[in-house]
Amino acid sequence: MDCKILEIQATDGVITAARYLCSVGDVQSEGWWWFKEPGNKPFADIAESDVIGWVLSEAGSGIESNLNAQAQALKTPKTVAPWLPQTFSLGGQ
């Protein structure tokens, strides 16, 4: 899983929320995370990797699990309802 921090919110030098973008393969998830326990590192010393770690630590495996489930769903053939137009492929493609 690859994650980036797109934006942060801070109050009195303490990061209180972060907008993240995480991806697994072609599947992406973007959202805001509001921290229950903001980090205690001096604001000037905080790196993007710190904030990513905080988001993933508080989110548990939720973000990655959801992305993996979405990626798997994209690989699963879709069942077309009988009343909808049916598609077919030529030559076993």
Side-chain angles (χ1 to χ4, degrees):
M1 180 169 67
D2 182 44
C3 293
K4 298 177 190 176
I5 299 300
L6 305 174
E7 187 176 348
I8 61 170
Q9 290 182 351
T11 303
D12 298 325
V14 175
I15 295 176
T16 57
R19 185 166 66 107
Y20 64 86
L21 174 66
C22 293
S23 60
V24 170
D26 293 337
V27 179
Q28 295 183 330
S29 177
E30 181 179 338
W32 278 95
W33 190 266
W34 285 267
F35 297 108
K36 296 175 195 167
E37 298 289 330
N40 57 7
K41 202 172 195 181
F43 191 78
D45 296 337
I46 294 172
E48 180 181 26
S49 60
D50 295 322
V51 181
I52 290 169
W54 298 340
V55 170
L56 296 178
S57 174
E58 285 194 12
S61 61
I63 294 171
E64 188 168 10
S65 294
N66 288 338
L67 286 171
N68 285 328
Q70 290 174 31
Q72 187 60 39
L74 290 174
K75 295 177 187 175
T76 303
K78 304 294 181 242
T79 303
V80 179
W83 58 88
L84 295 175
Q86 303 295 307
T87 60
F88 62 93
S89 62
L90 298 174
Q93 297 177 359

